[in-house]
């Protein structure tokens, strides 16, 4: 069973989370539900610093032994930091998807885009309803 | 989609399912790496009921199979298994299969899941064309269940259920015996690179056998293992998979199956293969490992000096070796070990180098 979804962040339908750092940036990753679906994560392809992405555009790639999955930007922005630790320890995403397993930090273009995402309660419902 | 007799057992164990050759099969129960390592270090149990079995019965069996298989089956004794390929007129591989000689006039052919119908029809048609009218060829796949038990503790666990002494059963040998009054064919063989056994049982009893083996091996730490780990295990062991490394347009010489071809005898496809032996092969199957960070997957393109230089047939992250490995077809001139090449991953080019096969060899 996956970890409860923390209430301090927003969630996308593609199972990314985004925490508002309250300084115009967000930190993003994938939910514990998502890592549990992917299981054994063995590789994370991180974007280049400075890359600009639109909301819901492909941002990173997570590979398990068997599968390759695109990770999308929960909001539009510029990549200002990536979790370098994942290069040698991709399993951090499995072990701590909401913490040590964060993937990218983005400088937001339009903070109101966060309002288009689900809060924890809505994401819980979403997983309950049709999250697969 | 077809289901094996064990479908409900897998569902009860919380398996995730995948479509494999038209069958709904467990891809994993917990996770692939755990199941992979359990097989390498302890013992794993696999549902292989999707594979096909064809019985060839009658005094013409040997002469018939000599014309069907590229390998010379002369000298095969009852109880002996031979890995074979079946080729078409052009020398392309129709299937790779194991031929069990159970009695002088009784063979069992074990086919891949995706090819079982095609193989059966091929055998029936060829037996007619070639005039083998005294043969009984029967598809026994639906009435036969198959479980593989693989890993260093496989013998120890299985021995508890058998009166026969397993230590005297040699590699690629089979016996007919019983497990709790259930008739089985059991061979020391497998598809993981570990010691282990393949067990054929009546399909309606295979569920019982599955539960019995899991219970018997529980104290050793036996795990049910899905097709995900089966694939990483076979790839590390340098074993090919039909549909990836082999198909009807690929010849045995191109996949370095020279040892399965005897050009001194006549068989379907021998003329084409004799020609290829003279002319040389255009491409060759090789193993590779990634130098750059990235995982190459099946169908990714290979580049050498900016030119198209082949295609990946299988690729994964190796749980035992902790690196990205794979197999690929490359032009013969680039097939030397240590040759560096670029593999295209999501539009970028990543360095890899050709290595010897297998990637993994167990300690004896």
């Amino acid at each position: 069973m996956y970890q409860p979804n923390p209430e301090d962040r927003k969630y996308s339908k593609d199972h990314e989370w985004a925490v508002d750092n309250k300084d115009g940036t967000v930190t993003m990753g994938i939910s514990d539900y998502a890592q549990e679906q992917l299981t054994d994560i063995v590789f994370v392809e991180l974007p280049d610093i400075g890359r600009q992405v639109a909301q819901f555009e492909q941002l990173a790639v997570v590979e398990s032994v068997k599968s390759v999955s695109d990770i999308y930007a929960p909001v539009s922005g510029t990549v200002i930091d990536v979790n370098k630790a994942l290069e040698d320890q991709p399993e951090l995403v499995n072990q701590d998807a909401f913490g040590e397993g964060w993937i990218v930090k983005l400088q937001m273009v339009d903070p109101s885009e966060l309002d288009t995402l689900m809060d924890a309660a809505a994401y819980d419902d979403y997983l309950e309803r049709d999250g697969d | 989609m077809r289901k094996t007799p064990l479908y409900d057992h897998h569902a009860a164990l919380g398996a995730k399912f995948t479509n494999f050759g038209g069958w709904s099969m467990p891809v994993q129960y917990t996770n692939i790496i755990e199941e992979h390592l359990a097989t390498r270090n302890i013992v794993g149990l696999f549902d292989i009921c999707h594979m096909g079995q064809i019985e060839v019965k009658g005094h013409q069996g040997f002469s018939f199979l000599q014309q069907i298989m590229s390998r010379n089956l002369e000298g095969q004794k009852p109880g002996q298994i031979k890995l074979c390929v079946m080729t078409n007129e052009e020398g392309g591989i129709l299937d790779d299969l194991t031929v069990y000689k159970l009695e002088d006039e009784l063979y069992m052919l074990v086919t891949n899941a995706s090819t079982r119908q095609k193989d059966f029809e091929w055998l029936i048609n060829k037996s007619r064309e070639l005039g083998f009218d005294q043969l009984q060829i029967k598809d026994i796949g639906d009435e036969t269940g198959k479980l593989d038990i693989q890993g260093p503790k496989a013998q120890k666990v299985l021995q508890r259920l058998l009166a026969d002494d397993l230590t005297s059963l040699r590699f690629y040998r089979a016996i007919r015996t019983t497990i709790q009054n259930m008739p089985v064919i059991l061979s020391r063989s497998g598809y993981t690179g570990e010691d282990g056994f393949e067990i054929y049982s009546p399909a309606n009893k295979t569920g019982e056998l599955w539960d019995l083996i899991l219970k018997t091996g529980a104290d050793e730490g036996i795990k049910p293992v899905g097709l995900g780990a089966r694939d990483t295990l076979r790839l590390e062991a340098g074993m090919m998979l039909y549909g990836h490394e082999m198909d009807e347009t690929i010849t045995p010489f191109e996949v370095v199956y020279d040892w399965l071809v005897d050009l001194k005898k006549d068989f379907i496809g021998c003329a084409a293969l004799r020609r290829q032996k003279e002319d040389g092969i255009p491409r060759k199957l090789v193993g590779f490992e990634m130098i750059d960070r990235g995982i190459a997957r099946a169908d990714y393109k290979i580049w050498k000096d900016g030119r198209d230089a082949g295609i990946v047939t299988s690729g994964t992250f190796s749980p035992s070796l902790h690196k990205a490995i794979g197999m690929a077809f490359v032009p013969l001139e680039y097939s030397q070990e240590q040759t560096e090449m670029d593999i295209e991953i999501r539009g970028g080019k990543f360095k890899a180098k050709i290595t010897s096969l297998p990637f993994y060899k167990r300690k004896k």
Side-chain angles (χ1 to χ4, degrees):
Chain A
M1 198 48 202
Y2 53 91
Q3 296 291 311
N5 300 304
E7 288 177 11
D8 63 351
R9 61 195 77 191
K10 293 297 194 72
Y11 298 86
S12 73
K13 287 180 177 172
D14 298 312
H15 308 287
E16 289 92 12
W17 55 259
V19 171
D20 187 351
N21 297 322
K22 305 290 182 197
D23 58 359
T25 71
V26 292
T27 302
M28 67 77 59
I30 63 171
S31 72
D32 199 61
Y33 171 84
Q35 74 72 23
E36 202 184 72
Q37 293 297 306
L38 293 168
T39 64
D40 40 53
I41 291 167
V42 292
F43 182 74
V44 181
E45 186 182 273
L46 299 164
D48 293 334
I49 306 280
R51 196 180 130 194
Q52 294 181 356
V53 284
Q55 190 178 26
F56 307 132
E57 192 186 326
Q58 191 267 350
L59 176 66
V61 176
V62 171
E63 299 196 36
S64 69
V65 173
K66 194 129 188 95
S67 67
V68 181
S69 307
D70 284 332
I71 304 301
Y72 303 94
V75 293
S76 308
T78 305
V79 175
I80 54 168
D81 198 8
V82 295
N83 188 356
K84 281 271 179 201
L86 299 181
E87 288 187 348
D88 292 318
Q89 293 172 277
E91 65 275 13
L92 287 175
V93 179
N94 288 128
Q95 291 160 4
D96 189 10
F98 291 125
E100 295 291 303
W102 68 276
I103 298 172
V104 171
K105 215 168 155 181
L106 291 166
Q107 177 73 49
M108 285 187 283
V109 173
D110 175 7
S112 75
E113 282 178 350
L114 281 170
D115 301 335
T116 64
L117 301 173
M118 292 175 272
D119 63 17
Y123 183 59
D124 286 344
D125 283 350
Y126 175 70
L127 292 182
E128 196 84 2
R129 226 173 35 246
D130 52 6
D132 61 308
Chain B
M1 227 184 319
R2 299 193 64 183
K3 290 176 181 174
T4 79
L6 298 176
Y7 184 87
D8 292 340
H9 297 246
H10 305 317
L13 288 163
K16 284 185 183 145
F17 291 89
T18 188
N19 176 357
F20 184 84
W23 292 75
S24 181
M25 297 300 293
V27 62
Q28 64 192 67
Y29 301 86
T30 53
N31 79 63
I32 292 173
I33 293 177
E34 246 176 66
E35 292 166 25
H36 178 108
L37 296 176
T39 308
R40 286 268 178 263
N41 301 326
I42 313 167
V43 52
L45 185 66
F46 303 70
D47 173 11
I48 310 298
C49 292
H50 58 312
M51 282 177 69
Q53 291 81 29
I54 298 168
E55 198 176 81
V56 176
K57 201 172 172 180
H59 69 275
Q60 296 177 323
F62 168 73
S63 326
F64 174 62
L65 293 175
Q66 276 291 72
Q67 295 197 38
I68 292 290
M69 305 296 171
S70 59
R71 190 170 186 182
N72 197 337
L73 297 174
E74 215 163 302
Q76 184 179 14
K77 297 183 195 73
Q80 216 177 351
I81 310 169
K82 298 262 191 196
L83 177 64
C84 288
V85 288
M86 199 160 78
T87 47
N88 58 25
E89 296 291 351
E90 290 74 46
I93 301 172
L94 288 162
D95 201 7
D96 68 324
L97 57 186
T98 44
V99 175
Y100 285 62
K101 185 169 189 172
L102 298 173
E103 297 168 14
D104 276 325
E105 299 186 359
L106 179 63
Y107 290 88
M108 178 174 75
L109 279 43
V110 181
T111 78
N112 279 290
S114 57
T115 50
R116 52 193 275 188
Q117 186 61 30
K118 176 184 86 172
D119 289 4
F120 179 64
E121 285 164 11
W122 177 265
L123 292 167
I124 292 283
N125 291 336
K126 289 299 158 189
S127 70
R128 286 186 190 139
E129 280 173 34
L130 299 168
F132 287 93
D133 50 2
Q134 306 288 303
L135 269 182
Q136 285 169 270
I137 300 173
K138 196 176 157 200
D139 184 344
I140 56 166
D142 285 349
E143 65 206 61
T144 309
K146 179 177 186 287
L147 301 180
D148 288 7
I149 178 170
Q150 301 275 302
K153 299 273 188 190
Q155 177 170 305
K156 186 176 179 191
V157 170
L158 194 57
Q159 186 64 74
R160 294 172 182 167
L161 298 169
L162 284 170
D164 315 75
D165 175 19
L166 279 177
T167 54
S168 62
L169 183 64
R170 287 188 285 153
F171 185 60
Y172 260 55
R173 299 292 166 124
I175 48 169
R176 278 195 279 193
T177 182
T178 56
I179 294 176
Q180 300 203 338
N181 296 320
M182 185 192 307
V184 298
I185 295 168
L186 188 156
S187 61
R188 187 185 290 268
S189 50
Y191 194 52
T192 60
E194 296 302 326
D195 186 28
F197 304 87
E198 297 177 273
I199 311 165
Y200 304 86
S201 58
N204 59 0
K205 296 279 189 186
T206 307
E208 256 173 69
L209 186 58
W210 170 268
D211 290 341
L212 181 64
I213 294 174
L214 285 182
K215 203 175 93 192
T216 305
D219 62 333
E220 297 288 347
I222 194 170
K223 269 190 189 299
V225 181
L227 291 190
R230 186 169 164 87
D231 196 46
T232 53
L233 289 159
R234 69 95 190 166
L235 191 49
E236 285 181 356
M239 292 164 163
M240 292 177 262
L241 174 61
Y242 196 84
H244 283 252
E245 283 73 38
M246 293 170 281
D247 66 34
E248 292 181 22
T249 68
I250 295 164
T251 73
F253 294 140
E254 292 166 345
V255 295
V256 208
Y257 257 165
D258 301 54
W259 62 287
L260 297 185
V261 181
D262 182 356
L263 292 177
K264 290 196 285 296
K265 69 160 193 170
D266 284 330
F267 58 92
I268 298 167
C270 67
L273 289 173
R274 281 181 192 131
R275 267 199 309 279
Q276 193 179 52
K277 190 81 188 173
E278 290 265 304
D279 299 346
I281 50 174
R283 58 183 169 181
K284 189 177 163 188
L285 188 77
V286 295
F288 68 84
E289 62 178 63
M290 297 302 300
I291 298 170
D292 287 339
R293 207 181 279 273
I295 301 171
R297 307 276 182 179
D299 301 327
Y300 287 9
K301 279 189 184 148
I302 297 172
W303 300 90
K304 175 79 185 166
D305 305 327
R307 301 221 319 264
D308 182 347
I311 197 145
V312 175
T313 54
S314 294
T316 192
F317 177 82
S318 159
S320 298
L321 308 170
H322 305 283
K323 58 187 177 191
I325 59 168
M327 290 197 256
F329 277 113
V330 296
L332 192 64
E333 64 264 36
Y334 299 140
S335 63
Q336 295 289 335
E337 274 172 40
Q338 301 302 322
T339 303
E340 290 193 7
M341 55 197 191
D342 294 320
I343 299 182
E344 186 176 326
I345 303 177
R346 292 182 284 279
K349 286 182 180 165
F350 293 74
K351 256 197 194 55
K353 71 167 182 211
I354 294 174
T355 57
S356 61
L357 291 171
F359 300 101
Y360 166 88
K361 212 165 183 176
R362 81 185 145 101
K363 295 177 202 81
K364 302 237 162 141

